[in-house]
Amino acid sequence: MSVACIEARRAGETIAQLTDVASLDHPESDSHITIFTDKTGVVKAARLLLSSVTKVLVLADRIVIKQIITSRNKVLATMDQLEKVSSFQEFVQIFSQFGNEMVEFAHLTGDRQNDLKDEKKKARMAASRAVLEKCTMMLLTASKTCLRHPDCESARINKDGVFHRMRLALEQVIEIVTDSRPNGENEMAPISIYSGIKEFKNKVEGLRENLYFLSKENLSTMLEVILEHTEDFTDSAYTSHEHREHILELSKQAKMELEQLVSVWMQAQNQKTKDLMEDLEVAILKTCQCMNDLKREVHSAATSLAADLLKYHTDHMVLKALKITGVEGNLEAVAEYTCKLSEQKEQLVEMCRLLRHVSGTEPLEITCIHAEDTFQVTGPQIISAAETLALHPSSKIAKENLEVFCEAWESQLSDMSLLLREINDVFEGRRGEKRVYLSLPRPGKHNANLKALKPVKLDTEEQAKIAKLGLELHLLTSDVDSETEKWEDQENEIVQHGQGMSSMAYSMYLFTRGEGLLKTTQDLFHQAEIFATEGTKLASALHALSDQVHDDKPLLLLEAEKLISMCKQLQVTAKASAQGKSATFTKVDACILKTRNVMTLLCQLLPLCCKLLRKTKAGNGCLKPAPPWKEDKIRTTTNARTPERRVDTFGIKSLENHVTNMTFLESK
């Protein structure tokens, strides 16, 4: 690396010397200025510069990969020690080392995930890191339970399951960063009905340009594969009778349409008459329309099932019953509820399989597969943890262990609600990158005289609290996005301010996960100030709107004043000084809380404004001319890319705060 950097610097210096106009004597006899005379030397130096810079980039990539592999090996070695410890004191000592190593691994893989260009790899990396984050806490409580009850078979099974899953996740991370598969196996791309229909339609529509680029056997085989996958729906016990009948009917129709298409296609190959080409066009349109109807039907079947299941299981009654019966030591009742949990697990696994077929994008397919694996593994782990508690009902650590696994299950159910919304967004064409509305201080420009803020570590309770607030903020941004999309005029000032505030609130949500463009607490506070400023501009737009409408004008003005007041409070909070860990966390918590309150108000304001505008248009045919708001449209933005919603939603936060502050490792 050092040699490559020296080569690059030398090549750059050579080009600088050869093109230095000031050092040349310019002959003026022909009235032309010679910039440089040694063109060959410049070309040679430029090639050397390109070669050496490429070498630097390749070496840097290899170094990062080597760092990740080395970090993984350290984690694996410490895990082996943790698995074999026999005393609690030794476990505490080794787990402290393990926590530090996991923090290092999380930072390295997080940076790598952000650098990945392949969205499939990025989604797989996010899934693996999510497993490692959640399993770290599980490993702690499962190991403590096993140490406290060394003769308990269910406790041992519980612990072994966590270690096994973490090792698999570590290996998958290495496969992603090294772009390799074990034993030279090729990666099998997940096959879904959506991807099959998309490819099939592309082939069918390609017949317009070329009648000979594929055979009728290839087209028939592709349709057969798609219809085989629809059997996942028609054979499922959870698919409604109505959906099953419609899917079977559309499958039969698709075969008939393809037969008609092939018939006309074969005739057109032999005789390209105008009538035949028109018949071919009609057959192509009918076939594609039938496939679209089939796609819509399986989407409806999968998403309606998912919505019903998530709503039905939102009360977590089975988990609550397992906790109660476990503490009571009632083995029979525990066995009864574990059967119910197994049934619930099968339902959720089937839901994930069906959602994968209609997810619409490869990253979302990977997320569905990850969710399916999570339910498949976590279910039995909850059962073994519940059995351990029932055998040792007075054990505090066994109770704590069951709580951790139940929380993982509840967390995955919550993630499924977000995933379902993402899938629906893709289907309805609403998926896309959020616009960037950030104004972060640039290093060396705005904050050259400021001391760098030291990162503040939050303890477990603080991290959980801020994560909960962040999730609420995320849900509100989705609601605001949904409301802004209902406006016919997307250039409306209110819509643009609303979208800007939603984007900034989303970046603050990512901060609560340790992701996104906001890296420090100072970044968060600065973003909160910009968010409040945007809210004040929105309030001005609301005042302008009140001059145009007749109904509900007092209500609109009241809401505008309320928005101004809340934004001023947020600005005061963001600008207030905070010294020390506790004060900084309090300020972070207050900023996110006040941002959430503003977003809640925004969710109420947008539909009100939309209704008033529509009512005024319907009543008057036109609106009063609006005042010029051009001054308010100025926004300062960075050139940084906005992270895609799918990966960030289902990525993971840094393990630093999650691991290093586990202060409850006392040997009670």
Side-chain angles (χ1 to χ4, degrees):
M1 174 64 86
S2 177
V3 171
C5 290
I6 291 172
E7 287 179 2
R9 186 171 66 243
R10 286 176 178 171
E13 290 172 350
T14 302
I15 293 176
Q17 292 171 3
L18 292 173
T19 57
D20 186 3
V21 179
S23 64
L24 298 176
D25 296 327
H26 303 300
E28 303 200 4
S29 57
D30 57 357
S31 301
H32 291 288
I33 297 177
T34 303
I35 297 177
F36 56 82
T37 55
D38 189 0
K39 293 183 179 180
T40 304
V42 171
V43 171
K44 184 178 179 181
R47 287 174 176 168
L48 179 60
L49 179 61
L50 181 61
S51 173
S52 54
V53 168
T54 302
K55 190 184 296 184
V56 169
L57 294 174
V58 171
L59 286 170
D61 190 64
R62 288 172 58 185
I63 290 169
V64 170
I65 292 173
K66 188 174 181 180
Q67 285 178 323
I68 293 175
I69 293 174
T70 302
S71 178
R72 185 279 310 260
N73 292 339
K74 286 161 58 178
V75 169
L76 281 176
T78 309
M79 280 178 63
D80 290 339
Q81 296 179 45
L82 279 174
E83 205 168 11
K84 298 172 184 176
V85 296
S86 55
S87 70
F88 199 90
Q89 184 177 3
E90 184 183 6
F91 171 79
V92 171
Q93 182 179 359
I94 297 175
F95 190 86
S96 176
Q97 176 188 340
F98 172 75
N100 292 331
E101 290 169 354
M102 282 299 295
V103 168
E104 178 190 2
F105 188 75
H107 283 307
L108 290 171
T109 54
D111 292 340
R112 187 66 176 183
Q113 179 181 326
N114 291 333
D115 292 338
L116 289 171
K117 305 301 180 188
D118 189 320
E119 293 303 323
K120 288 171 60 179
K121 289 183 178 179
K122 189 174 287 189
R124 290 178 61 214
M125 178 72 88
S128 299
R129 295 178 70 232
V131 170
L132 292 171
E133 180 191 27
K134 292 177 181 177
C135 282
T136 300
M137 189 64 175
M138 295 175 182
L139 183 143
L140 172 67
T141 56
S143 298
K144 288 167 67 178
T145 304
C146 214
L147 285 170
R148 187 57 44 85
H149 310 289
D151 299 327
C152 183
E153 180 66 13
S154 57
R156 185 192 61 77
I157 292 173
N158 187 252
K159 185 189 80 168
D160 290 347
V162 178
F163 275 94
H164 178 68
R165 195 169 185 221
M166 288 194 75
R167 289 191 174 100
L168 289 178
L170 288 166
E171 289 307 311
Q172 180 164 317
V173 169
I174 301 304
E175 288 172 17
I176 296 166
V177 299
T178 59
D179 200 18
S180 64
R181 301 288 293 175
N183 304 321
E185 299 174 4
N186 293 325
E187 180 183 356
M188 293 295 293
I191 301 172
S192 70
I193 293 175
Y194 265 29
S195 58
I197 289 178
K198 182 180 179 181
E199 185 180 358
F200 179 79
K201 284 175 58 182
N202 287 339
K203 297 292 185 184
V204 169
E205 291 171 344
L207 294 175
R208 294 189 179 109
E209 305 297 329
N210 188 344
L211 295 174
Y212 307 96
F213 81 106
L214 82 163
S215 67
K216 63 180 182 180
E217 289 78 16
N218 287 343
L219 215 51
S220 298
T221 301
M222 291 175 67
L223 181 61
E224 286 176 9
V225 171
I226 294 170
L227 298 184
E228 282 178 9
H229 288 315
T230 62
E231 293 174 3
D232 289 346
F233 287 81
T234 55
D235 293 345
S236 173
Y238 307 111
T239 302
S240 69
H241 176 72
E242 182 182 355
H243 282 305
R244 183 179 292 107
E245 290 299 315
H246 286 168
I247 292 171
L248 289 172
E249 183 181 339
L250 287 169
S251 298
K252 183 179 179 180
Q253 183 184 342
K255 291 179 182 179
M256 294 171 57
E257 297 293 355
L258 180 60
E259 287 177 6
Q260 179 63 25
L261 172 65
V262 170
S263 175
V264 179
W265 173 24
M266 293 298 105
Q267 294 179 49
Q269 284 184 340
N270 297 325
Q271 187 180 4
K272 294 183 181 179
T273 64
K274 182 179 179 181
D275 290 342
L276 280 175
M277 295 309 293
E278 288 179 354
D279 290 344
L280 178 63
E281 178 64 23
V282 171
I284 289 173
L285 292 174
K286 282 186 174 182
T287 303
C288 291
Q289 182 58 48
C290 182
M291 299 311 293
N292 287 336
D293 292 342
L294 179 61
K295 174 180 173 182
R296 187 176 298 107
E297 190 63 34
V298 294
H299 174 87
S300 176
T303 54
S304 60
L305 170 65
D308 290 344
L309 283 178
L310 292 175
K311 183 178 180 180
Y312 181 73
H313 295 307
T314 191
D315 55 5
H316 308 299
M317 290 303 296
V318 175
L319 299 183
K320 293 175 182 176
L322 279 173
K323 295 174 188 176
I324 294 171
T325 54
V327 171
E328 293 172 349
N330 190 338
L331 289 169
E332 291 184 3
V334 167
E336 177 186 347
Y337 285 112
T338 54
C339 288
K340 291 184 178 180
L341 183 66
S342 296
E343 292 175 6
Q344 183 177 329
K345 182 203 74 174
E346 292 302 321
Q347 291 175 348
L348 295 171
V349 166
E350 183 78 358
M351 174 191 74
C352 294
R353 288 173 182 164
L354 299 184
L355 283 176
R356 179 177 65 82
H357 278 302
V358 302
S359 53
T361 68
E362 288 181 328
L364 286 178
E365 284 184 31
I366 291 169
T367 305
C368 289
I369 294 171
H370 163 68
E372 179 185 336
D373 292 340
T374 300
F375 286 124
Q376 197 77 267
V377 173
T378 310
Q381 288 178 319
I382 292 175
I383 291 172
S384 59
E387 290 172 350
T388 302
L389 178 59
L391 292 170
H392 307 280
S394 61
S395 174
K396 291 183 179 179
I397 182 54
K399 181 181 178 182
E400 179 187 2
N401 187 49
L402 178 58
E403 288 278 358
V404 167
F405 283 95
C406 288
E407 286 174 6
W409 183 274
E410 294 169 7
S411 173
Q412 188 57 52
L413 275 176
S414 176
D415 286 347
M416 290 308 299
S417 298
L418 300 174
L419 176 59
L420 180 59
R421 184 175 296 183
E422 290 281 340
I423 290 173
N424 282 324
D425 284 349
V426 171
F427 182 78
E428 295 168 11
R430 296 200 303 257
R431 181 177 174 82
E433 291 189 350
K434 268 184 169 286
R435 286 183 282 178
V436 182
Y437 290 87
L438 299 174
S439 180
L440 303 181
R442 297 170 184 259
K445 185 177 180 182
H446 300 296
N447 58 345
N449 298 322
L450 298 177
K451 294 182 179 179
L453 295 176
K454 295 182 179 179
V456 178
K457 295 180 181 180
L458 309 178
D459 61 34
T460 308
E461 291 183 4
E462 291 171 338
Q463 190 71 46
K465 183 178 180 182
I466 200 173
K468 182 176 181 296
L469 274 175
L471 181 58
E472 293 173 1
L473 201 57
H474 180 219
L475 294 174
L476 287 168
T477 62
S478 297
D479 291 340
V480 168
D481 290 344
S482 178
E483 290 297 332
T484 57
E485 286 160 3
K486 296 176 183 177
W487 287 59
E488 296 176 0
D489 181 13
Q490 287 293 308
E491 298 303 317
N492 187 286
E493 200 71 10
I494 295 173
V495 171
Q496 292 186 354
H497 287 309
Q499 290 172 339
M501 294 171 72
S502 176
S503 181
M504 286 184 276
Y506 184 73
S507 69
M508 295 170 76
Y509 151 71
L510 292 179
F511 173 86
T512 66
R513 298 173 62 89
E515 300 170 2
L517 298 174
L518 308 179
K519 302 299 183 184
T520 67
T521 52
Q522 188 62 29
D523 288 343
L524 177 74
F525 301 148
H526 186 78
Q527 185 70 95
E529 288 184 52
I530 304 301
F531 175 87
T533 302
E534 194 75 4
T536 304
K537 293 178 182 178
L538 174 59
S540 299
L542 294 176
H543 277 289
L545 176 62
S546 69
D547 294 331
Q548 299 175 264
V549 300
H550 303 290
D551 297 336
D552 296 323
K553 180 174 181 177
L555 175 61
L556 188 61
L557 290 173
L558 179 64
E559 295 297 317
E561 291 303 316
K562 189 187 298 183
L563 178 62
I564 291 174
S565 175
M566 294 170 72
C567 289
K568 285 182 179 178
Q569 291 177 19
L570 177 57
Q571 281 185 323
V572 170
T573 301
K575 291 178 180 179
S577 61
Q579 299 293 331
K581 174 185 172 183
S582 178
T584 302
F585 171 77
T586 302
K587 183 177 175 181
V588 168
D589 183 56
C591 282
I592 295 176
L593 181 62
K594 291 182 187 299
T595 302
R596 184 201 66 181
N597 294 339
V598 173
M599 290 295 289
T600 302
L601 179 61
L602 186 57
C603 287
Q604 301 167 2
L605 275 169
L606 287 171
L608 172 64
C609 295
C610 187
K611 183 188 74 172
L612 291 175
L613 279 171
R614 286 177 179 172
K615 187 182 295 185
T616 306
K617 283 183 179 180
N620 301 335
C622 62
L623 293 173
K624 298 178 184 178
W629 295 332
K630 297 297 182 183
E631 295 81 9
D632 291 339
K633 296 184 72 172
I634 300 172
R635 294 185 178 95
T636 310
T637 64
T638 64
N639 293 325
R641 293 176 302 166
T642 301
E644 276 202 7
R645 294 287 293 268
R646 216 249 44 92
V647 174
D648 286 322
T649 299
F650 299 99
I652 64 168
K653 58 181 176 289
S654 165
L655 290 174
E656 183 170 359
N657 299 327
H658 185 53
V659 176
T660 57
N661 295 289
M662 290 179 177
T663 56
F664 47 87
L665 283 175
E666 68 277 7
S667 54
K668 291 183 181 177

